[in-house]
Amino acid sequence: MKRRFFTILLVILTCCVTVVAQTKIYRGNSTYSSDCLYTWDGKHLFRGNSTYSSDIIYSWDGKYLYKGNSSYSSDILATWDGQFLYKGRSSYSSDILYTFDGKYIYYGKSNYTSNILATWSNSRLYSGYSEYTSDIIYRVVGQFPPILFVML
């Protein structure tokens, strides 16, 4: 009975560890490991194909983006409210850096086509108002908050 219990426990733990997969962000439309620019674990953005704490570029808690492996208020680079990305820890409209509507990332507080910085579609970030293959900046395999691309 004990042996069966431990076997079941081992299978469950193995499944749980397998579910915690990292997101990979590649250059252009590539998925070659040599083109992996960043790795995302849901909280930290790492350089390249790494998950070492020394390679953490940013930390994210869903609202605040922190410099490096930090969660100190003095290290907040940007604040996210679901539509706007603000400079630092601000929520003033004068401090809006970017707007995201689910498809387009705009400069500042805008929804004008002329202010589109990038297009997010099919797990790819395109330059400007485009979905041409030649305009792909990044390809994401996994989940990643598109607004954070502006900080890369």
Side-chain angles (χ1 to χ4, degrees), residues 2-147:
K2 284 184 179 181
R3 186 174 187 168
R4 184 175 178 176
F5 172 76
F6 286 114
T7 303
I8 291 171
L9 183 62
L10 180 63
V11 169
I12 290 171
L13 288 174
T14 303
C15 290
C16 290
V17 169
T18 306
V19 170
V20 183
Q22 282 104 21
T23 294
K24 302 294 182 183
I25 301 167
Y26 297 92
R27 174 184 297 114
N29 199 27
S30 176
T31 55
Y32 291 115
S33 60
S34 61
D35 289 330
C36 181
L37 299 174
Y38 307 101
T39 301
W40 173 253
D41 70 0
K43 181 175 173 142
H44 302 100
L45 185 70
F46 301 86
R47 269 183 209 50
N49 208 6
S50 173
T51 54
Y52 292 115
S53 60
S54 61
D55 289 328
I56 294 174
I57 303 169
Y58 300 122
S59 297
W60 170 259
D61 66 7
K63 180 174 182 173
Y64 298 112
L65 182 68
Y66 301 89
K67 178 175 51 176
N69 189 17
S70 176
S71 59
Y72 294 113
S73 61
S74 60
D75 289 330
I76 294 174
L77 299 172
T79 302
W80 173 244
D81 73 359
Q83 181 180 12
F84 302 113
L85 188 70
Y86 299 87
K87 180 173 57 174
R89 195 172 178 174
S90 177
S91 59
Y92 294 113
S93 61
S94 61
D95 289 331
I96 293 173
L97 300 171
Y98 301 96
T99 302
F100 181 61
D101 68 4
K103 180 163 180 126
Y104 301 108
I105 299 173
Y106 301 86
Y107 290 110
K109 184 179 180 183
S110 175
N111 60 358
Y112 294 114
T113 306
S114 60
N115 289 334
I116 292 176
L117 169 68
T119 302
W120 173 249
S121 179
N122 298 319
S123 297
R124 291 166 180 83
L125 187 75
Y126 299 83
S127 177
Y129 182 69
S130 172
E131 288 187 49
Y132 291 113
T133 304
S134 60
D135 290 331
I136 296 173
I137 303 169
Y138 299 114
R139 180 176 187 175
V140 176
V141 177
Q143 299 294 315
F144 184 73
I147 193 64

